[in-house]
Short mmCIF file of all heavy atoms in Angstrom, two decimals:
data_model
loop_
_atom_site.label_atom_id
_atom_site.label_comp_id
_atom_site.label_asym_id
_atom_site.label_seq_id
_atom_site.Cartn_x
_atom_site.Cartn_y
_atom_site.Cartn_z
N TYR A 1 10.72 -1.46 -16.33
CA TYR A 1 10.30 -0.59 -17.41
C TYR A 1 8.79 -0.34 -17.32
O TYR A 1 8.03 -1.22 -16.90
CB TYR A 1 10.60 -1.23 -18.77
CG TYR A 1 12.06 -1.44 -19.07
CD1 TYR A 1 12.63 -2.72 -19.04
CD2 TYR A 1 12.87 -0.36 -19.42
CE1 TYR A 1 13.97 -2.92 -19.35
CE2 TYR A 1 14.21 -0.56 -19.72
CZ TYR A 1 14.76 -1.83 -19.69
OH TYR A 1 16.09 -2.01 -19.99
N VAL A 2 8.36 0.84 -17.76
CA VAL A 2 6.94 1.18 -17.76
C VAL A 2 6.60 1.85 -19.08
O VAL A 2 7.26 2.82 -19.48
CB VAL A 2 6.57 2.15 -16.60
CG1 VAL A 2 5.07 2.43 -16.60
CG2 VAL A 2 7.02 1.59 -15.26
N ASP A 3 5.58 1.34 -19.76
CA ASP A 3 5.11 2.00 -20.98
C ASP A 3 3.66 1.62 -21.23
O ASP A 3 3.20 0.57 -20.77
CB ASP A 3 5.97 1.64 -22.19
CG ASP A 3 6.02 2.79 -23.20
OD1 ASP A 3 4.99 3.02 -23.86
OD2 ASP A 3 7.06 3.45 -23.31
N VAL A 4 2.96 2.49 -21.96
CA VAL A 4 1.56 2.25 -22.28
C VAL A 4 1.39 1.74 -23.71
O VAL A 4 0.33 1.21 -24.06
CB VAL A 4 0.73 3.55 -22.06
CG1 VAL A 4 1.05 4.57 -23.15
CG2 VAL A 4 -0.76 3.26 -21.98
N GLU A 5 2.44 1.85 -24.53
CA GLU A 5 2.35 1.48 -25.94
C GLU A 5 2.46 -0.05 -26.07
O GLU A 5 3.44 -0.64 -25.62
CB GLU A 5 3.46 2.18 -26.72
CG GLU A 5 3.11 2.47 -28.17
CD GLU A 5 3.21 1.22 -29.03
OE1 GLU A 5 4.12 0.40 -28.79
OE2 GLU A 5 2.39 1.07 -29.95
N PRO A 6 1.47 -0.72 -26.67
CA PRO A 6 1.46 -2.19 -26.68
C PRO A 6 2.68 -2.82 -27.34
O PRO A 6 3.18 -3.85 -26.87
CB PRO A 6 0.17 -2.52 -27.45
CG PRO A 6 -0.70 -1.33 -27.27
CD PRO A 6 0.23 -0.16 -27.24
N VAL A 7 3.17 -2.25 -28.44
CA VAL A 7 4.35 -2.82 -29.10
C VAL A 7 5.56 -2.71 -28.18
O VAL A 7 6.37 -3.65 -28.08
CB VAL A 7 4.61 -2.13 -30.45
CG1 VAL A 7 5.93 -2.58 -31.04
CG2 VAL A 7 3.47 -2.42 -31.42
N ALA A 8 5.70 -1.57 -27.50
CA ALA A 8 6.81 -1.39 -26.56
C ALA A 8 6.77 -2.45 -25.47
O ALA A 8 7.80 -3.06 -25.13
CB ALA A 8 6.77 0.01 -25.95
N VAL A 9 5.59 -2.68 -24.91
CA VAL A 9 5.46 -3.64 -23.81
C VAL A 9 5.72 -5.07 -24.30
O VAL A 9 6.44 -5.85 -23.68
CB VAL A 9 4.08 -3.53 -23.16
CG1 VAL A 9 3.88 -4.61 -22.10
CG2 VAL A 9 3.91 -2.15 -22.52
N ALA A 10 5.12 -5.42 -25.44
CA ALA A 10 5.27 -6.79 -25.96
C ALA A 10 6.72 -7.10 -26.31
O ALA A 10 7.23 -8.18 -25.99
CB ALA A 10 4.38 -6.98 -27.19
N THR A 11 7.39 -6.17 -26.96
CA THR A 11 8.78 -6.43 -27.34
C THR A 11 9.70 -6.44 -26.12
O THR A 11 10.68 -7.18 -26.08
CB THR A 11 9.27 -5.40 -28.37
OG1 THR A 11 9.02 -4.08 -27.89
CG2 THR A 11 8.56 -5.58 -29.70
N THR A 12 9.39 -5.61 -25.12
CA THR A 12 10.18 -5.62 -23.89
C THR A 12 10.04 -6.96 -23.19
O THR A 12 11.03 -7.54 -22.71
CB THR A 12 9.76 -4.48 -22.96
OG1 THR A 12 9.94 -3.22 -23.63
CG2 THR A 12 10.61 -4.47 -21.69
N ARG A 13 8.81 -7.46 -23.11
CA ARG A 13 8.60 -8.77 -22.47
C ARG A 13 9.38 -9.86 -23.19
O ARG A 13 9.97 -10.74 -22.56
CB ARG A 13 7.11 -9.10 -22.44
CG ARG A 13 6.35 -8.34 -21.36
CD ARG A 13 4.88 -8.68 -21.34
NE ARG A 13 4.21 -7.96 -20.26
CZ ARG A 13 2.95 -7.57 -20.29
NH1 ARG A 13 2.19 -7.86 -21.36
NH2 ARG A 13 2.41 -6.93 -19.28
N HIS A 14 9.37 -9.80 -24.51
CA HIS A 14 10.12 -10.79 -25.28
C HIS A 14 11.62 -10.68 -24.98
O HIS A 14 12.30 -11.69 -24.76
CB HIS A 14 9.87 -10.57 -26.77
CG HIS A 14 10.72 -11.43 -27.65
ND1 HIS A 14 10.45 -12.75 -27.91
CD2 HIS A 14 11.88 -11.15 -28.32
CE1 HIS A 14 11.38 -13.26 -28.70
NE2 HIS A 14 12.25 -12.31 -28.97
N LEU A 15 12.12 -9.45 -24.95
CA LEU A 15 13.54 -9.23 -24.72
C LEU A 15 13.97 -9.71 -23.35
O LEU A 15 15.10 -10.18 -23.16
CB LEU A 15 13.85 -7.74 -24.88
CG LEU A 15 15.29 -7.29 -24.69
CD1 LEU A 15 16.16 -7.81 -25.83
CD2 LEU A 15 15.37 -5.77 -24.63
N LEU A 16 13.07 -9.62 -22.37
CA LEU A 16 13.42 -9.91 -20.98
C LEU A 16 13.16 -11.35 -20.57
O LEU A 16 13.33 -11.70 -19.40
CB LEU A 16 12.67 -8.96 -20.04
CG LEU A 16 12.99 -7.48 -20.18
CD1 LEU A 16 12.12 -6.66 -19.24
CD2 LEU A 16 14.47 -7.20 -19.94
N GLU A 17 12.74 -12.18 -21.50
CA GLU A 17 12.48 -13.58 -21.16
C GLU A 17 13.74 -14.21 -20.53
O GLU A 17 14.83 -14.12 -21.07
CB GLU A 17 12.07 -14.37 -22.40
CG GLU A 17 10.66 -14.06 -22.87
CD GLU A 17 10.29 -14.85 -24.12
OE1 GLU A 17 11.12 -15.65 -24.59
OE2 GLU A 17 9.17 -14.66 -24.62
N GLY A 18 13.55 -14.81 -19.36
CA GLY A 18 14.66 -15.44 -18.67
C GLY A 18 15.47 -14.51 -17.79
O GLY A 18 16.40 -14.95 -17.11
N ASN A 19 15.14 -13.20 -17.79
CA ASN A 19 15.85 -12.23 -16.96
C ASN A 19 15.02 -11.98 -15.70
O ASN A 19 14.03 -11.27 -15.73
CB ASN A 19 16.06 -10.93 -17.74
CG ASN A 19 17.00 -9.97 -17.01
OD1 ASN A 19 17.10 -9.96 -15.79
ND2 ASN A 19 17.71 -9.16 -17.78
N ASP A 20 15.44 -12.57 -14.58
CA ASP A 20 14.67 -12.47 -13.35
C ASP A 20 14.81 -11.12 -12.65
O ASP A 20 14.08 -10.84 -11.69
CB ASP A 20 15.09 -13.58 -12.37
CG ASP A 20 14.75 -14.97 -12.89
OD1 ASP A 20 13.80 -15.08 -13.69
OD2 ASP A 20 15.45 -15.93 -12.49
N HIS A 21 15.73 -10.30 -13.12
CA HIS A 21 15.99 -9.02 -12.46
C HIS A 21 15.47 -7.83 -13.26
O HIS A 21 15.83 -6.68 -12.95
CB HIS A 21 17.48 -8.87 -12.20
CG HIS A 21 17.99 -9.79 -11.14
ND1 HIS A 21 19.33 -10.12 -11.02
CD2 HIS A 21 17.35 -10.48 -10.17
CE1 HIS A 21 19.48 -10.96 -10.01
NE2 HIS A 21 18.29 -11.18 -9.48
N ALA A 22 14.65 -8.08 -14.26
CA ALA A 22 14.09 -6.99 -15.05
C ALA A 22 12.68 -7.36 -15.49
O ALA A 22 12.37 -8.53 -15.72
CB ALA A 22 14.96 -6.68 -16.27
N GLY A 23 11.82 -6.35 -15.58
CA GLY A 23 10.44 -6.59 -15.99
C GLY A 23 9.83 -5.35 -16.58
O GLY A 23 10.46 -4.29 -16.66
N VAL A 24 8.57 -5.47 -16.98
CA VAL A 24 7.88 -4.34 -17.59
C VAL A 24 6.45 -4.30 -17.08
O VAL A 24 5.81 -5.33 -16.88
CB VAL A 24 7.91 -4.42 -19.14
CG1 VAL A 24 7.25 -5.69 -19.64
CG2 VAL A 24 7.25 -3.19 -19.77
N VAL A 25 5.94 -3.09 -16.87
CA VAL A 25 4.55 -2.86 -16.49
C VAL A 25 3.85 -2.16 -17.64
O VAL A 25 4.35 -1.15 -18.16
CB VAL A 25 4.45 -1.97 -15.23
CG1 VAL A 25 2.99 -1.65 -14.91
CG2 VAL A 25 5.10 -2.66 -14.04
N HIS A 26 2.71 -2.70 -18.05
CA HIS A 26 1.90 -2.06 -19.08
C HIS A 26 0.97 -1.08 -18.37
O HIS A 26 -0.08 -1.46 -17.83
CB HIS A 26 1.10 -3.10 -19.85
CG HIS A 26 0.39 -2.55 -21.04
ND1 HIS A 26 -0.48 -3.27 -21.81
CD2 HIS A 26 0.44 -1.31 -21.62
CE1 HIS A 26 -0.94 -2.53 -22.80
NE2 HIS A 26 -0.40 -1.33 -22.69
N ALA A 27 1.37 0.18 -18.35
CA ALA A 27 0.60 1.20 -17.63
C ALA A 27 0.94 2.58 -18.16
O ALA A 27 1.99 2.79 -18.78
CB ALA A 27 0.90 1.14 -16.13
N ASP A 28 0.06 3.51 -17.90
CA ASP A 28 0.29 4.92 -18.23
C ASP A 28 1.11 5.53 -17.10
O ASP A 28 0.71 5.44 -15.93
CB ASP A 28 -1.05 5.64 -18.38
CG ASP A 28 -0.93 7.03 -18.97
OD1 ASP A 28 0.06 7.73 -18.65
OD2 ASP A 28 -1.82 7.43 -19.73
N VAL A 29 2.23 6.14 -17.43
CA VAL A 29 3.10 6.70 -16.38
C VAL A 29 2.40 7.79 -15.60
O VAL A 29 2.81 8.13 -14.48
CB VAL A 29 4.42 7.24 -16.96
CG1 VAL A 29 5.20 6.12 -17.65
CG2 VAL A 29 4.18 8.40 -17.91
N ARG A 30 1.32 8.35 -16.16
CA ARG A 30 0.56 9.38 -15.46
C ARG A 30 -0.35 8.81 -14.38
O ARG A 30 -1.07 9.56 -13.71
CB ARG A 30 -0.27 10.18 -16.48
CG ARG A 30 0.59 11.00 -17.43
CD ARG A 30 -0.20 11.55 -18.60
NE ARG A 30 -0.67 10.46 -19.46
CZ ARG A 30 -1.25 10.65 -20.64
NH1 ARG A 30 -1.43 11.87 -21.09
NH2 ARG A 30 -1.64 9.61 -21.36
N ASP A 31 -0.30 7.50 -14.20
CA ASP A 31 -1.04 6.82 -13.14
C ASP A 31 -0.04 6.13 -12.21
O ASP A 31 0.16 4.92 -12.28
CB ASP A 31 -2.00 5.80 -13.74
CG ASP A 31 -2.92 5.15 -12.71
OD1 ASP A 31 -2.78 5.47 -11.51
OD2 ASP A 31 -3.76 4.32 -13.11
N PRO A 32 0.62 6.90 -11.35
CA PRO A 32 1.68 6.33 -10.52
C PRO A 32 1.23 5.16 -9.66
O PRO A 32 2.00 4.22 -9.44
CB PRO A 32 2.12 7.52 -9.64
CG PRO A 32 1.73 8.73 -10.41
CD PRO A 32 0.47 8.36 -11.13
N ASP A 33 0.00 5.20 -9.16
CA ASP A 33 -0.45 4.10 -8.31
C ASP A 33 -0.49 2.79 -9.08
O ASP A 33 -0.16 1.72 -8.53
CB ASP A 33 -1.84 4.42 -7.73
CG ASP A 33 -1.79 5.52 -6.67
OD1 ASP A 33 -0.70 5.74 -6.10
OD2 ASP A 33 -2.82 6.15 -6.42
N ALA A 34 -0.92 2.84 -10.35
CA ALA A 34 -0.95 1.62 -11.16
C ALA A 34 0.45 1.05 -11.34
O ALA A 34 0.62 -0.17 -11.41
CB ALA A 34 -1.58 1.91 -12.52
N VAL A 35 1.43 1.92 -11.40
CA VAL A 35 2.82 1.48 -11.55
C VAL A 35 3.38 0.98 -10.22
O VAL A 35 3.88 -0.14 -10.11
CB VAL A 35 3.70 2.62 -12.09
CG1 VAL A 35 5.17 2.20 -12.14
CG2 VAL A 35 3.23 3.05 -13.47
N LEU A 36 3.27 1.81 -9.19
CA LEU A 36 3.91 1.50 -7.92
C LEU A 36 3.23 0.35 -7.18
O LEU A 36 3.88 -0.35 -6.39
CB LEU A 36 3.91 2.76 -7.04
CG LEU A 36 4.71 3.94 -7.61
CD1 LEU A 36 4.52 5.18 -6.74
CD2 LEU A 36 6.20 3.59 -7.71
N ASP A 37 1.93 0.15 -7.43
CA ASP A 37 1.21 -0.94 -6.77
C ASP A 37 1.17 -2.21 -7.60
O ASP A 37 0.50 -3.18 -7.23
CB ASP A 37 -0.23 -0.51 -6.45
CG ASP A 37 -0.30 0.63 -5.44
OD1 ASP A 37 0.70 0.81 -4.70
OD2 ASP A 37 -1.31 1.35 -5.40
N SER A 38 1.89 -2.22 -8.72
CA SER A 38 1.86 -3.39 -9.60
C SER A 38 2.64 -4.55 -8.99
O SER A 38 3.58 -4.35 -8.20
CB SER A 38 2.46 -3.03 -10.96
OG SER A 38 3.86 -2.77 -10.82
N PRO A 39 2.28 -5.78 -9.34
CA PRO A 39 3.05 -6.95 -8.87
C PRO A 39 4.51 -6.88 -9.29
O PRO A 39 5.41 -7.32 -8.55
CB PRO A 39 2.33 -8.13 -9.52
CG PRO A 39 0.96 -7.64 -9.82
CD PRO A 39 1.10 -6.18 -10.13
N GLU A 40 4.75 -6.33 -10.48
CA GLU A 40 6.13 -6.24 -10.97
C GLU A 40 6.98 -5.32 -10.09
O GLU A 40 8.13 -5.63 -9.78
CB GLU A 40 6.14 -5.75 -12.42
CG GLU A 40 5.52 -6.70 -13.41
CD GLU A 40 4.01 -6.54 -13.55
OE1 GLU A 40 3.40 -5.76 -12.77
OE2 GLU A 40 3.43 -7.19 -14.44
#
């Protein structure tokens, strides 16, 4: 998942705790390099 809104990112991280096959990047989708080059 990718979103720039802090509540969206925080709640997604909470929801995904313990899920090794899903994650979230806190980034603006208009910055593809920040998304694609992220550790996630």
